[in-house]
Amino acid sequence: MKQRYTAYNLVRAIHQLPRNVNYHYVNPQTKGLIRIDNVELPAGPIQIRRWNSTKGGTYADAKVESLSTEMIWRVANAINEGDPINLDRILGGSYNTRSVLEALLASTPEFYSCYPGRIMDIDGHSTIEHGHKHLVWLPNEPHHQGAIFEKKVPNMAISEIPLQSVTYDNLILPDSMTLGGDMDIKVVRRHTQIQIALYLIGLQLGFRTWIAQNDKGIIWKEKPLLEQPGIIQSLNNEGMISAYSDAVTSARFIDCIWFKNGKYMPAVMEVEHTTGVTSGLTRMKGLQDAAPSLMTRYVIVAPDDDREKVVEEANRPQFLSLDTRYFAYSSVEELYYLCSHRGLHGVNQEFIDNYMEKVRID
């Protein structure tokens, strides 16, 4: 399984670049210099100054600009080991500092610039043209820090498929979910959207889904979630759970559990959106203690920028037996898109392991 890159990795790498050094842009035709003023760990922002000395600019006269945490995360989420990325394409017309982030990232040891070929499809005919500037993450081939190196990729070409978006259908939340409680309505809605995505992924993969008892009043597609196809109405009828005296009680308020053929339980999942990861881990540990012989995956589903928190909490001694997996929101939505737009089917349970990262540190 390929390594996963996060904003924490990106910011840490740039934090390790020397200060009081002038950095150049990846495109040599772009005249100007860049210097790092400050890096805020763990995920930014990063303050920089940039100036064009050929036009009389100086470091002292340059204003301090910020590479925002939002921009950093957007780029980090697009990084996969060995896959070239184009920051202009990722960020579109947003962020006039995107070439600065590109330059600093290329100056870190694990990134190279590269120019893969570009596949052009015109009137049914395909040709490979000279490619645009990209970066590629090669963690096993580090170069000297502080300089930009180009990686030759003569046999690589990119077909630039338009980026796809995930669309969520309208849903109505019961008053009990929006009143009282610590989460505001926007957080509750996002939490629920992810639950629905998990349910639909499970439905496409042939799983039946348990949704937490207190969430079954959600109205989706004009019907309560409880009445949707593939939703389990009662855990008392699930032999895998009901065979253990305390397991039904322990599982009742877990956000999402997948079942298959009455014989398998592919995953037990807690969705943690801006709340403490510990509560979800505690609920899953309660189920494991009540049904210790159940074979399943215990999964924390959380925003991409919560990865380090998930890793830290999941590796506390009391939770190590869960062998917790981390299912990032971006991975949920990628799999949801494949299921809803490509009709994904015919895959085995192990397929989902490609989307759930093991976080136990031995």
Side-chain angles (χ1 to χ4, degrees), residues 185-233:
I185 183 63
K186 292 181 181 179
V187 172
V188 173
R189 185 171 295 277
R190 182 60 173 146
H191 179 279
T192 306
Q193 286 172 338
I194 294 296
Q195 278 182 293
I196 297 291
L198 293 171
Y199 153 60
L200 292 172
I201 290 168
L203 192 64
Q204 186 64 42
L205 298 181
F207 305 154
R208 295 162 59 248
T209 302
W210 167 261
I211 294 291
Q213 186 69 49
N214 51 328
D215 295 338
K216 283 191 164 55
I218 296 164
I219 304 299
W220 182 72
K221 288 189 177 292
E222 301 181 352
K223 290 198 305 185
L225 201 53
L226 185 64
E227 298 177 13
Q228 301 291 340
I231 290 289
I232 294 169
Q233 297 194 3

mmCIF file of all heavy atoms in Angstrom, residues 185-233:
data_model
loop_
_atom_site.group_PDB
_atom_site.id
_atom_site.type_symbol
_atom_site.label_atom_id
_atom_site.label_comp_id
_atom_site.label_asym_id
_atom_site.label_seq_id
_atom_site.Cartn_x
_atom_site.Cartn_y
_atom_site.Cartn_z
ATOM 1 N N ILE A 185 -25.503 22.832 13.782
ATOM 2 C CA ILE A 185 -26.237 22.180 12.702
ATOM 3 C C ILE A 185 -25.341 21.842 11.515
ATOM 4 O O ILE A 185 -25.510 20.795 10.877
ATOM 5 C CB ILE A 185 -27.430 23.062 12.260
ATOM 6 C CG1 ILE A 185 -28.252 22.356 11.183
ATOM 7 C CG2 ILE A 185 -26.957 24.410 11.786
ATOM 8 C CD1 ILE A 185 -28.893 21.084 11.625
ATOM 9 N N LYS A 186 -24.371 22.697 11.204
ATOM 10 C CA LYS A 186 -23.491 22.424 10.058
ATOM 11 C C LYS A 186 -22.639 21.184 10.316
ATOM 12 O O LYS A 186 -22.412 20.378 9.412
ATOM 13 C CB LYS A 186 -22.605 23.635 9.782
ATOM 14 C CG LYS A 186 -23.365 24.849 9.259
ATOM 15 C CD LYS A 186 -22.413 26.012 8.989
ATOM 16 C CE LYS A 186 -23.174 27.230 8.483
ATOM 17 N NZ LYS A 186 -22.258 28.386 8.235
ATOM 18 N N VAL A 187 -22.167 21.039 11.538
ATOM 19 C CA VAL A 187 -21.351 19.880 11.887
ATOM 20 C C VAL A 187 -22.191 18.610 11.861
ATOM 21 O O VAL A 187 -21.781 17.579 11.341
ATOM 22 C CB VAL A 187 -20.704 20.083 13.269
ATOM 23 C CG1 VAL A 187 -20.006 18.802 13.722
ATOM 24 C CG2 VAL A 187 -19.703 21.239 13.221
ATOM 25 N N VAL A 188 -23.410 18.699 12.422
ATOM 26 C CA VAL A 188 -24.306 17.546 12.427
ATOM 27 C C VAL A 188 -24.624 17.118 11.001
ATOM 28 O O VAL A 188 -24.628 15.926 10.669
ATOM 29 C CB VAL A 188 -25.606 17.869 13.189
ATOM 30 C CG1 VAL A 188 -26.617 16.733 13.050
ATOM 31 C CG2 VAL A 188 -25.314 18.114 14.656
ATOM 32 N N ARG A 189 -24.883 18.091 10.126
ATOM 33 C CA ARG A 189 -25.222 17.776 8.739
ATOM 34 C C ARG A 189 -24.043 17.090 8.040
ATOM 35 O O ARG A 189 -24.229 16.123 7.300
ATOM 36 C CB ARG A 189 -25.622 19.056 7.999
ATOM 37 C CG ARG A 189 -26.110 18.816 6.581
ATOM 38 C CD ARG A 189 -26.701 20.098 5.996
ATOM 39 N NE ARG A 189 -27.900 20.502 6.721
ATOM 40 C CZ ARG A 189 -29.112 20.005 6.476
ATOM 41 N NH1 ARG A 189 -29.272 19.075 5.546
ATOM 42 N NH2 ARG A 189 -30.150 20.416 7.160
ATOM 43 N N ARG A 190 -22.842 17.588 8.253
ATOM 44 C CA ARG A 190 -21.667 16.974 7.607
ATOM 45 C C ARG A 190 -21.462 15.556 8.126
ATOM 46 O O ARG A 190 -21.178 14.633 7.354
ATOM 47 C CB ARG A 190 -20.425 17.828 7.880
ATOM 48 C CG ARG A 190 -19.150 17.318 7.208
ATOM 49 C CD ARG A 190 -19.321 17.282 5.712
ATOM 50 N NE ARG A 190 -18.056 16.959 5.041
ATOM 51 C CZ ARG A 190 -17.977 16.256 3.925
ATOM 52 N NH1 ARG A 190 -19.071 15.778 3.348
ATOM 53 N NH2 ARG A 190 -16.803 16.021 3.371
ATOM 54 N N HIS A 191 -21.601 15.371 9.427
ATOM 55 C CA HIS A 191 -21.495 14.053 10.040
ATOM 56 C C HIS A 191 -22.499 13.101 9.388
ATOM 57 O O HIS A 191 -22.188 11.959 9.028
ATOM 58 C CB HIS A 191 -21.765 14.187 11.537
ATOM 59 C CG HIS A 191 -21.714 12.909 12.313
ATOM 60 N ND1 HIS A 191 -22.777 12.018 12.348
ATOM 61 C CD2 HIS A 191 -20.745 12.369 13.098
ATOM 62 C CE1 HIS A 191 -22.468 10.991 13.109
ATOM 63 N NE2 HIS A 191 -21.242 11.180 13.580
ATOM 64 N N THR A 192 -23.717 13.584 9.186
ATOM 65 C CA THR A 192 -24.777 12.755 8.619
ATOM 66 C C THR A 192 -24.531 12.455 7.153
ATOM 67 O O THR A 192 -24.799 11.347 6.675
ATOM 68 C CB THR A 192 -26.144 13.451 8.806
ATOM 69 O OG1 THR A 192 -26.321 13.764 10.189
ATOM 70 C CG2 THR A 192 -27.275 12.552 8.348
ATOM 71 N N GLN A 193 -24.012 13.427 6.404
ATOM 72 C CA GLN A 193 -23.684 13.189 4.995
ATOM 73 C C GLN A 193 -22.687 12.040 4.857
ATOM 74 O O GLN A 193 -22.817 11.187 3.967
ATOM 75 C CB GLN A 193 -23.103 14.463 4.370
ATOM 76 C CG GLN A 193 -24.127 15.537 4.099
ATOM 77 C CD GLN A 193 -23.492 16.843 3.656
ATOM 78 O OE1 GLN A 193 -22.307 17.103 3.929
ATOM 79 N NE2 GLN A 193 -24.250 17.670 2.973
ATOM 80 N N ILE A 194 -21.696 12.003 5.733
ATOM 81 C CA ILE A 194 -20.710 10.930 5.676
ATOM 82 C C ILE A 194 -21.346 9.591 6.038
ATOM 83 O O ILE A 194 -21.049 8.548 5.428
ATOM 84 C CB ILE A 194 -19.518 11.250 6.600
ATOM 85 C CG1 ILE A 194 -18.756 12.483 6.071
ATOM 86 C CG2 ILE A 194 -18.567 10.059 6.697
ATOM 87 C CD1 ILE A 194 -18.109 12.291 4.707
ATOM 88 N N GLN A 195 -22.247 9.589 7.025
ATOM 89 C CA GLN A 195 -22.967 8.351 7.351
ATOM 90 C C GLN A 195 -23.745 7.829 6.138
ATOM 91 O O GLN A 195 -23.731 6.628 5.848
ATOM 92 C CB GLN A 195 -23.950 8.585 8.504
ATOM 93 C CG GLN A 195 -23.334 8.532 9.890
ATOM 94 C CD GLN A 195 -24.391 8.734 10.954
ATOM 95 O OE1 GLN A 195 -24.957 9.823 11.069
ATOM 96 N NE2 GLN A 195 -24.671 7.700 11.718
ATOM 97 N N ILE A 196 -24.419 8.736 5.434
ATOM 98 C CA ILE A 196 -25.184 8.347 4.250
ATOM 99 C C ILE A 196 -24.243 7.798 3.181
ATOM 100 O O ILE A 196 -24.539 6.793 2.512
ATOM 101 C CB ILE A 196 -25.973 9.549 3.696
ATOM 102 C CG1 ILE A 196 -27.007 10.034 4.709
ATOM 103 C CG2 ILE A 196 -26.648 9.183 2.375
ATOM 104 C CD1 ILE A 196 -28.150 9.102 4.943
ATOM 105 N N ALA A 197 -23.092 8.444 3.001
ATOM 106 C CA ALA A 197 -22.118 7.956 2.018
ATOM 107 C C ALA A 197 -21.653 6.548 2.374
ATOM 108 O O ALA A 197 -21.543 5.675 1.504
ATOM 109 C CB ALA A 197 -20.926 8.916 1.943
ATOM 110 N N LEU A 198 -21.405 6.289 3.656
ATOM 111 C CA LEU A 198 -20.981 4.955 4.090
ATOM 112 C C LEU A 198 -22.082 3.931 3.829
ATOM 113 O O LEU A 198 -21.814 2.810 3.390
ATOM 114 C CB LEU A 198 -20.616 4.980 5.578
ATOM 115 C CG LEU A 198 -19.383 5.807 5.960
ATOM 116 C CD1 LEU A 198 -19.269 5.913 7.475
ATOM 117 C CD2 LEU A 198 -18.112 5.195 5.378
ATOM 118 N N TYR A 199 -23.324 4.315 4.105
ATOM 119 C CA TYR A 199 -24.455 3.423 3.840
ATOM 120 C C TYR A 199 -24.535 3.082 2.351
ATOM 121 O O TYR A 199 -24.699 1.910 1.977
ATOM 122 C CB TYR A 199 -25.745 4.085 4.322
ATOM 123 C CG TYR A 199 -26.993 3.641 3.595
ATOM 124 C CD1 TYR A 199 -27.402 2.304 3.604
ATOM 125 C CD2 TYR A 199 -27.762 4.563 2.883
ATOM 126 C CE1 TYR A 199 -28.551 1.907 2.921
ATOM 127 C CE2 TYR A 199 -28.899 4.176 2.209
ATOM 128 C CZ TYR A 199 -29.285 2.844 2.222
ATOM 129 O OH TYR A 199 -30.409 2.458 1.534
ATOM 130 N N LEU A 200 -24.389 4.091 1.477
ATOM 131 C CA LEU A 200 -24.510 3.859 0.041
ATOM 132 C C LEU A 200 -23.335 3.050 -0.504
ATOM 133 O O LEU A 200 -23.500 2.237 -1.417
ATOM 134 C CB LEU A 200 -24.639 5.196 -0.687
ATOM 135 C CG LEU A 200 -25.952 5.940 -0.413
ATOM 136 C CD1 LEU A 200 -25.925 7.332 -1.014
ATOM 137 C CD2 LEU A 200 -27.131 5.146 -0.949
ATOM 138 N N ILE A 201 -22.144 3.254 0.061
ATOM 139 C CA ILE A 201 -20.996 2.411 -0.308
ATOM 140 C C ILE A 201 -21.300 0.964 0.040
ATOM 141 O O ILE A 201 -21.112 0.049 -0.773
ATOM 142 C CB ILE A 201 -19.716 2.889 0.412
ATOM 143 C CG1 ILE A 201 -19.253 4.239 -0.138
ATOM 144 C CG2 ILE A 201 -18.597 1.849 0.261
ATOM 145 C CD1 ILE A 201 -18.180 4.904 0.705
ATOM 146 N N GLY A 202 -21.772 0.755 1.264
ATOM 147 C CA GLY A 202 -22.110 -0.597 1.689
ATOM 148 C C GLY A 202 -23.179 -1.224 0.823
ATOM 149 O O GLY A 202 -23.090 -2.398 0.445
ATOM 150 N N LEU A 203 -24.206 -0.452 0.456
ATOM 151 C CA LEU A 203 -25.295 -0.969 -0.383
ATOM 152 C C LEU A 203 -24.748 -1.432 -1.732
ATOM 153 O O LEU A 203 -25.107 -2.500 -2.241
ATOM 154 C CB LEU A 203 -26.348 0.128 -0.582
ATOM 155 C CG LEU A 203 -27.683 -0.291 -1.177
ATOM 156 C CD1 LEU A 203 -28.423 -1.249 -0.250
ATOM 157 C CD2 LEU A 203 -28.537 0.948 -1.468
ATOM 158 N N GLN A 204 -23.842 -0.638 -2.319
ATOM 159 C CA GLN A 204 -23.269 -0.991 -3.620
ATOM 160 C C GLN A 204 -22.381 -2.237 -3.533
ATOM 161 O O GLN A 204 -22.305 -3.032 -4.470
ATOM 162 C CB GLN A 204 -22.458 0.187 -4.164
ATOM 163 C CG GLN A 204 -21.928 -0.001 -5.571
ATOM 164 C CD GLN A 204 -23.031 -0.108 -6.608
ATOM 165 O OE1 GLN A 204 -24.012 0.622 -6.560
ATOM 166 N NE2 GLN A 204 -22.884 -1.024 -7.548
ATOM 167 N N LEU A 205 -21.725 -2.418 -2.393
ATOM 168 C CA LEU A 205 -20.811 -3.552 -2.231
ATOM 169 C C LEU A 205 -21.517 -4.794 -1.675
ATOM 170 O O LEU A 205 -20.863 -5.793 -1.378
ATOM 171 C CB LEU A 205 -19.642 -3.164 -1.321
ATOM 172 C CG LEU A 205 -18.746 -2.026 -1.843
ATOM 173 C CD1 LEU A 205 -17.613 -1.750 -0.873
ATOM 174 C CD2 LEU A 205 -18.186 -2.350 -3.224
ATOM 175 N N GLY A 206 -22.836 -4.717 -1.524
ATOM 176 C CA GLY A 206 -23.595 -5.878 -1.066
ATOM 177 C C GLY A 206 -23.638 -6.042 0.438
ATOM 178 O O GLY A 206 -23.919 -7.136 0.938
ATOM 179 N N PHE A 207 -23.393 -4.964 1.183
ATOM 180 C CA PHE A 207 -23.448 -5.015 2.640
ATOM 181 C C PHE A 207 -24.792 -4.466 3.115
ATOM 182 O O PHE A 207 -25.380 -3.583 2.502
ATOM 183 C CB PHE A 207 -22.346 -4.163 3.276
ATOM 184 C CG PHE A 207 -20.943 -4.488 2.828
ATOM 185 C CD1 PHE A 207 -19.945 -3.521 2.879
ATOM 186 C CD2 PHE A 207 -20.612 -5.748 2.362
ATOM 187 C CE1 PHE A 207 -18.655 -3.805 2.472
ATOM 188 C CE2 PHE A 207 -19.324 -6.050 1.949
ATOM 189 C CZ PHE A 207 -18.340 -5.073 2.000
ATOM 190 N N ARG A 208 -25.283 -5.001 4.217
ATOM 191 C CA ARG A 208 -26.395 -4.403 4.938
ATOM 192 C C ARG A 208 -25.797 -3.521 6.039
ATOM 193 O O ARG A 208 -24.734 -3.821 6.562
ATOM 194 C CB ARG A 208 -27.304 -5.484 5.520
ATOM 195 C CG ARG A 208 -27.989 -6.297 4.435
ATOM 196 C CD ARG A 208 -28.528 -7.625 4.940
ATOM 197 N NE ARG A 208 -29.493 -7.461 6.002
ATOM 198 C CZ ARG A 208 -29.286 -7.819 7.265
ATOM 199 N NH1 ARG A 208 -28.135 -8.375 7.634
ATOM 200 N NH2 ARG A 208 -30.222 -7.653 8.172
ATOM 201 N N THR A 209 -26.492 -2.426 6.349
ATOM 202 C CA THR A 209 -25.884 -1.410 7.212
ATOM 203 C C THR A 209 -26.730 -1.104 8.435
ATOM 204 O O THR A 209 -27.941 -0.883 8.323
ATOM 205 C CB THR A 209 -25.653 -0.106 6.420
ATOM 206 O OG1 THR A 209 -24.813 -0.377 5.296
ATOM 207 C CG2 THR A 209 -24.996 0.950 7.289
ATOM 208 N N TRP A 210 -26.062 -1.093 9.576
ATOM 209 C CA TRP A 210 -26.666 -0.590 10.806
ATOM 210 C C TRP A 210 -26.256 0.868 10.972
ATOM 211 O O TRP A 210 -25.072 1.213 10.872
ATOM 212 C CB TRP A 210 -26.196 -1.382 12.021
ATOM 213 C CG TRP A 210 -26.528 -0.728 13.338
ATOM 214 C CD1 TRP A 210 -25.687 0.028 14.118
ATOM 215 C CD2 TRP A 210 -27.796 -0.744 14.001
ATOM 216 N NE1 TRP A 210 -26.354 0.481 15.225
ATOM 217 C CE2 TRP A 210 -27.660 0.018 15.188
ATOM 218 C CE3 TRP A 210 -29.035 -1.319 13.713
ATOM 219 C CZ2 TRP A 210 -28.699 0.214 16.082
ATOM 220 C CZ3 TRP A 210 -30.081 -1.128 14.606
ATOM 221 C CH2 TRP A 210 -29.908 -0.374 15.777
ATOM 222 N N ILE A 211 -27.238 1.732 11.177
ATOM 223 C CA ILE A 211 -26.983 3.139 11.488
ATOM 224 C C ILE A 211 -27.393 3.372 12.945
ATOM 225 O O ILE A 211 -28.412 2.845 13.401
ATOM 226 C CB ILE A 211 -27.794 4.071 10.562
ATOM 227 C CG1 ILE A 211 -27.313 3.936 9.115
ATOM 228 C CG2 ILE A 211 -27.702 5.528 11.007
ATOM 229 C CD1 ILE A 211 -25.930 4.481 8.845
ATOM 230 N N ALA A 212 -26.618 4.159 13.672
ATOM 231 C CA ALA A 212 -26.857 4.376 15.102
ATOM 232 C C ALA A 212 -28.334 4.612 15.404
ATOM 233 O O ALA A 212 -29.033 5.312 14.668
ATOM 234 C CB ALA A 212 -26.026 5.561 15.599
ATOM 235 N N GLN A 213 -28.794 4.007 16.490
ATOM 236 C CA GLN A 213 -30.208 4.046 16.864
ATOM 237 C C GLN A 213 -30.771 5.461 16.872
ATOM 238 O O GLN A 213 -31.886 5.711 16.418
ATOM 239 C CB GLN A 213 -30.374 3.407 18.247
ATOM 240 C CG GLN A 213 -31.815 3.249 18.700
ATOM 241 C CD GLN A 213 -32.556 2.199 17.880
ATOM 242 O OE1 GLN A 213 -32.049 1.109 17.697
ATOM 243 N NE2 GLN A 213 -33.739 2.544 17.399
ATOM 244 N N ASN A 214 -29.991 6.407 17.380
ATOM 245 C CA ASN A 214 -30.482 7.786 17.508
ATOM 246 C C ASN A 214 -30.434 8.564 16.197
ATOM 247 O O ASN A 214 -30.846 9.722 16.149
ATOM 248 C CB ASN A 214 -29.692 8.536 18.591
ATOM 249 C CG ASN A 214 -28.198 8.417 18.402
ATOM 250 O OD1 ASN A 214 -27.716 7.408 17.905
ATOM 251 N ND2 ASN A 214 -27.467 9.440 18.803
ATOM 252 N N ASP A 215 -29.957 7.952 15.108
ATOM 253 C CA ASP A 215 -29.879 8.637 13.809
ATOM 254 C C ASP A 215 -30.895 8.123 12.804
ATOM 255 O O ASP A 215 -30.937 8.579 11.664
ATOM 256 C CB ASP A 215 -28.471 8.485 13.216
ATOM 257 C CG ASP A 215 -27.407 9.173 14.048
ATOM 258 O OD1 ASP A 215 -27.767 10.086 14.820
ATOM 259 O OD2 ASP A 215 -26.232 8.798 13.932
ATOM 260 N N LYS A 216 -31.709 7.162 13.193
ATOM 261 C CA LYS A 216 -32.586 6.524 12.220
ATOM 262 C C LYS A 216 -33.777 7.390 11.793
ATOM 263 O O LYS A 216 -34.484 7.065 10.850
ATOM 264 C CB LYS A 216 -33.079 5.176 12.765
ATOM 265 C CG LYS A 216 -32.008 4.096 12.659
ATOM 266 C CD LYS A 216 -32.592 2.738 12.952
ATOM 267 C CE LYS A 216 -31.683 1.619 12.488
ATOM 268 N NZ LYS A 216 -30.348 1.692 13.028
ATOM 269 N N GLY A 217 -34.009 8.500 12.497
ATOM 270 C CA GLY A 217 -35.096 9.382 12.115
ATOM 271 C C GLY A 217 -34.727 10.355 11.006
ATOM 272 O O GLY A 217 -35.567 11.143 10.563
ATOM 273 N N ILE A 218 -33.491 10.321 10.546
ATOM 274 C CA ILE A 218 -33.060 11.188 9.453
ATOM 275 C C ILE A 218 -33.939 10.922 8.226
ATOM 276 O O ILE A 218 -34.187 9.770 7.862
ATOM 277 C CB ILE A 218 -31.586 10.920 9.101
ATOM 278 C CG1 ILE A 218 -30.672 11.282 10.282
ATOM 279 C CG2 ILE A 218 -31.168 11.684 7.859
ATOM 280 C CD1 ILE A 218 -29.275 10.702 10.162
ATOM 281 N N ILE A 219 -34.418 11.991 7.597
ATOM 282 C CA ILE A 219 -35.212 11.854 6.374
ATOM 283 C C ILE A 219 -34.286 12.037 5.176
ATOM 284 O O ILE A 219 -33.636 13.077 5.028
ATOM 285 C CB ILE A 219 -36.345 12.895 6.318
ATOM 286 C CG1 ILE A 219 -37.232 12.787 7.560
ATOM 287 C CG2 ILE A 219 -37.174 12.712 5.048
ATOM 288 C CD1 ILE A 219 -37.917 11.449 7.724
ATOM 289 N N TRP A 220 -34.234 11.014 4.327
ATOM 290 C CA TRP A 220 -33.380 11.048 3.138
ATOM 291 C C TRP A 220 -34.178 10.492 1.970
ATOM 292 O O TRP A 220 -34.799 9.444 2.085
ATOM 293 C CB TRP A 220 -32.105 10.227 3.385
ATOM 294 C CG TRP A 220 -31.157 10.233 2.252
ATOM 295 C CD1 TRP A 220 -30.373 11.272 1.841
ATOM 296 C CD2 TRP A 220 -30.860 9.144 1.365
ATOM 297 N NE1 TRP A 220 -29.618 10.907 0.748
ATOM 298 C CE2 TRP A 220 -29.906 9.595 0.444
ATOM 299 C CE3 TRP A 220 -31.331 7.830 1.271
ATOM 300 C CZ2 TRP A 220 -29.405 8.782 -0.569
ATOM 301 C CZ3 TRP A 220 -30.833 7.018 0.265
ATOM 302 C CH2 TRP A 220 -29.875 7.495 -0.631
ATOM 303 N N LYS A 221 -34.199 11.234 0.873
ATOM 304 C CA LYS A 221 -35.032 10.861 -0.282
ATOM 305 C C LYS A 221 -36.489 10.678 0.136
ATOM 306 O O LYS A 221 -37.170 9.729 -0.267
ATOM 307 C CB LYS A 221 -34.483 9.604 -0.952
ATOM 308 C CG LYS A 221 -33.181 9.836 -1.719
ATOM 309 C CD LYS A 221 -32.808 8.615 -2.527
ATOM 310 C CE LYS A 221 -31.549 8.867 -3.356
ATOM 311 N NZ LYS A 221 -31.754 9.851 -4.429
ATOM 312 N N GLU A 222 -36.928 11.603 1.003
ATOM 313 C CA GLU A 222 -38.324 11.708 1.437
ATOM 314 C C GLU A 222 -38.798 10.528 2.279
ATOM 315 O O GLU A 222 -39.998 10.352 2.482
ATOM 316 C CB GLU A 222 -39.250 11.899 0.221
ATOM 317 C CG GLU A 222 -38.916 13.149 -0.591
ATOM 318 C CD GLU A 222 -39.849 13.353 -1.763
ATOM 319 O OE1 GLU A 222 -40.658 12.441 -2.047
ATOM 320 O OE2 GLU A 222 -39.769 14.418 -2.389
ATOM 321 N N LYS A 223 -37.888 9.725 2.781
ATOM 322 C CA LYS A 223 -38.263 8.617 3.661
ATOM 323 C C LYS A 223 -37.291 8.548 4.826
ATOM 324 O O LYS A 223 -36.113 8.889 4.681
ATOM 325 C CB LYS A 223 -38.227 7.279 2.912
ATOM 326 C CG LYS A 223 -39.322 7.096 1.881
ATOM 327 C CD LYS A 223 -39.507 5.610 1.510
ATOM 328 C CE LYS A 223 -38.228 4.957 1.037
ATOM 329 N NZ LYS A 223 -38.451 3.561 0.560
ATOM 330 N N PRO A 224 -37.770 8.110 6.008
ATOM 331 C CA PRO A 224 -36.837 7.925 7.126
ATOM 332 C C PRO A 224 -35.740 6.932 6.752
ATOM 333 O O PRO A 224 -35.977 5.985 5.984
ATOM 334 C CB PRO A 224 -37.730 7.365 8.237
ATOM 335 C CG PRO A 224 -39.109 7.762 7.868
ATOM 336 C CD PRO A 224 -39.153 7.773 6.369
ATOM 337 N N LEU A 225 -34.575 7.147 7.294
ATOM 338 C CA LEU A 225 -33.459 6.254 6.999
ATOM 339 C C LEU A 225 -33.800 4.812 7.363
ATOM 340 O O LEU A 225 -33.376 3.858 6.685
ATOM 341 C CB LEU A 225 -32.224 6.725 7.779
ATOM 342 C CG LEU A 225 -30.847 6.278 7.280
ATOM 343 C CD1 LEU A 225 -30.658 6.617 5.814
ATOM 344 C CD2 LEU A 225 -29.754 6.900 8.122
ATOM 345 N N LEU A 226 -34.594 4.646 8.386
ATOM 346 C CA LEU A 226 -34.975 3.317 8.846
ATOM 347 C C LEU A 226 -35.700 2.523 7.757
ATOM 348 O O LEU A 226 -35.657 1.294 7.738
ATOM 349 C CB LEU A 226 -35.874 3.432 10.081
ATOM 350 C CG LEU A 226 -36.278 2.136 10.782
ATOM 351 C CD1 LEU A 226 -35.045 1.432 11.346
ATOM 352 C CD2 LEU A 226 -37.275 2.414 11.898
ATOM 353 N N GLU A 227 -36.370 3.221 6.822
ATOM 354 C CA GLU A 227 -37.146 2.563 5.777
ATOM 355 C C GLU A 227 -36.380 2.385 4.468
ATOM 356 O O GLU A 227 -36.928 1.885 3.486
ATOM 357 C CB GLU A 227 -38.429 3.365 5.510
ATOM 358 C CG GLU A 227 -39.354 3.461 6.714
ATOM 359 C CD GLU A 227 -40.570 4.321 6.449
ATOM 360 O OE1 GLU A 227 -40.825 4.634 5.251
ATOM 361 O OE2 GLU A 227 -41.267 4.675 7.414
ATOM 362 N N GLN A 228 -35.111 2.780 4.451
ATOM 363 C CA GLN A 228 -34.320 2.661 3.227
ATOM 364 C C GLN A 228 -33.867 1.216 3.023
ATOM 365 O O GLN A 228 -33.643 0.477 3.989
ATOM 366 C CB GLN A 228 -33.094 3.581 3.301
ATOM 367 C CG GLN A 228 -33.416 5.053 3.484
ATOM 368 C CD GLN A 228 -34.079 5.683 2.266
ATOM 369 O OE1 GLN A 228 -33.994 5.155 1.150
ATOM 370 N NE2 GLN A 228 -34.746 6.804 2.478
ATOM 371 N N PRO A 229 -33.714 0.791 1.762
ATOM 372 C CA PRO A 229 -33.265 -0.585 1.496
ATOM 373 C C PRO A 229 -31.875 -0.835 2.061
ATOM 374 O O PRO A 229 -30.994 0.022 1.978
ATOM 375 C CB PRO A 229 -33.260 -0.665 -0.041
ATOM 376 C CG PRO A 229 -33.187 0.758 -0.506
ATOM 377 C CD PRO A 229 -33.926 1.559 0.509
ATOM 378 N N GLY A 230 -31.680 -1.999 2.650
ATOM 379 C CA GLY A 230 -30.369 -2.366 3.164
ATOM 380 C C GLY A 230 -30.059 -1.853 4.551
ATOM 381 O O GLY A 230 -28.978 -2.116 5.082
ATOM 382 N N ILE A 231 -30.996 -1.105 5.164
ATOM 383 C CA ILE A 231 -30.793 -0.604 6.526
ATOM 384 C C ILE A 231 -31.345 -1.634 7.517
ATOM 385 O O ILE A 231 -32.473 -2.107 7.384
ATOM 386 C CB ILE A 231 -31.483 0.751 6.741
ATOM 387 C CG1 ILE A 231 -30.773 1.850 5.943
ATOM 388 C CG2 ILE A 231 -31.527 1.120 8.223
ATOM 389 C CD1 ILE A 231 -29.399 2.241 6.469
ATOM 390 N N ILE A 232 -30.555 -1.971 8.495
ATOM 391 C CA ILE A 232 -30.947 -2.948 9.518
ATOM 392 C C ILE A 232 -31.827 -2.256 10.563
ATOM 393 O O ILE A 232 -31.454 -1.208 11.106
ATOM 394 C CB ILE A 232 -29.701 -3.556 10.180
ATOM 395 C CG1 ILE A 232 -28.927 -4.391 9.144
ATOM 396 C CG2 ILE A 232 -30.072 -4.397 11.396
ATOM 397 C CD1 ILE A 232 -27.550 -4.816 9.610
ATOM 398 N N GLN A 233 -32.983 -2.827 10.827
ATOM 399 C CA GLN A 233 -33.925 -2.205 11.754
ATOM 400 C C GLN A 233 -33.631 -2.527 13.211
ATOM 401 O O GLN A 233 -33.882 -1.717 14.093
ATOM 402 C CB GLN A 233 -35.357 -2.624 11.402
ATOM 403 C CG GLN A 233 -35.781 -2.144 10.021
ATOM 404 C CD GLN A 233 -37.276 -2.259 9.800
ATOM 405 O OE1 GLN A 233 -38.024 -2.640 10.696
ATOM 406 N NE2 GLN A 233 -37.722 -1.928 8.599
#
